[in-house]
Amino acid sequence: MRDSTVTIALLYPELLGTYGDGGNAVVLASRLRWRGIGADVLTFRAGETVPTSCDMYLMGGGEDGPQALAARELSESGALHTAVDSGAVVFGTCAGIQVLGHEFANPDGTPHPGLGLLDVRTVRGTGKRAIGELLSEPVLDGLPRLTGYENHGAVTHLGPEVKPLGRVLTGLGNGGGDGSEGAVCGRILATYMHGPALARNPALADLLLSWVVGSTLAPLDDSEVDELRAERLRFVKRARWHRNR
């Protein structure tokens, strides 16, 4: 963290905000302020200059055309690369994991270059679209089971320089046949979970924030979120039971 206020950059919400993932910025800022830590959320739209000095950068889900535009703008500016080199934290959701990787699929299946910040490659899926509840067992220590909602037709393959965020229990996740969900490398973390993901998984939000502030954060009363998580887990359990009847 560069000073006493954490700056959170929300990138291209009009392009990468189809599923309400901008709510992740609200969650992060709120969890900082509840602890007495200053937080500023800065929104940058397509065509605007993205600074390299923010502490965190967020990218959400989007359709093929807007996703390609976002990738081109970020690639041409190099701002996110410079920020990562300076220690910034990056959180990407759905289209975010694809844009952060080496390449993703155009609508016709041809590859479109990504940013190359994550060692992943995304191709167009050939099976059923992944739509529904997504539940995974986290690979990172100290996190509870992760819950979200997925809606994508792509398949993301992880390279040797990344590890998965979790192992799929319900849903499809990355869809590459290895049961992985999401990707983590250094201070970059990406997932296919919507919800928004950090509203459903406050421990994941706090993990990202701990990377920024450089220490473990004081606990918060998450009883209301715990009720939401419990309801979602019950829903997944019931859905499993009905499928297996």
Side-chain angles (χ1 to χ4, degrees), residues 5-19:
T5 298
V6 175
T7 53
I8 301 168
L10 180 60
L11 300 181
Y12 311 148
E14 79 282 18
L15 302 179
L16 304 176
T18 304
Y19 305 101

Side-chain angles (χ1 to χ4, degrees), residues 117-151:
L117 290 170
L118 276 179
D119 185 18
V120 306
R121 284 179 166 81
T122 301
V123 299
R124 185 171 60 180
T126 57
K128 185 178 179 181
R129 185 177 182 87
I131 301 177
E133 290 294 309
L134 176 59
L135 180 68
S136 68
E137 192 69 45
V139 172
L140 300 179
D141 292 337
L143 291 176
R145 286 183 171 179
L146 300 171
T147 170
Y149 186 88
E150 62 181 346
N151 185 354

Side-chain angles (χ1 to χ4, degrees), residues 74-184:
L74 289 170
S75 179
E76 290 171 359
S77 73
L80 201 57
H81 294 80
T82 300
V84 168
D85 289 342
S86 299
V89 174
V90 179
F91 178 60
T93 303
C94 197
I97 189 174
Q98 299 176 22
V99 170
L100 289 166
H102 296 299
E103 61 186 34
F104 54 89
N106 286 311
D108 62 0
T110 58
H112 189 290
L115 302 181
L117 290 170
L118 276 179
D119 185 18
V120 306
R121 284 179 166 81
T122 301
V123 299
R124 185 171 60 180
T126 57
K128 185 178 179 181
R129 185 177 182 87
I131 301 177
E133 290 294 309
L134 176 59
L135 180 68
S136 68
E137 192 69 45
V139 172
L140 300 179
D141 292 337
L143 291 176
R145 286 183 171 179
L146 300 171
T147 170
Y149 186 88
E150 62 181 346
N151 185 354
H152 64 95
V155 173
T156 295
H157 298 283
L158 305 186
E161 300 302 316
V162 299
K163 60 183 177 182
L165 172 61
R167 296 292 180 187
V168 174
L169 300 173
T170 297
L172 188 65
N174 295 336
D178 60 357
S180 66
E181 200 294 301
V184 183

Side-chain angles (χ1 to χ4, degrees), residues 7-11 25 40-44 51 53-54 56:
T7 53
I8 301 168
L10 180 60
L11 300 181
D40 286 336
V41 176
L42 309 177
T43 299
F44 300 96
S53 57
C54 295
M56 301 186 70

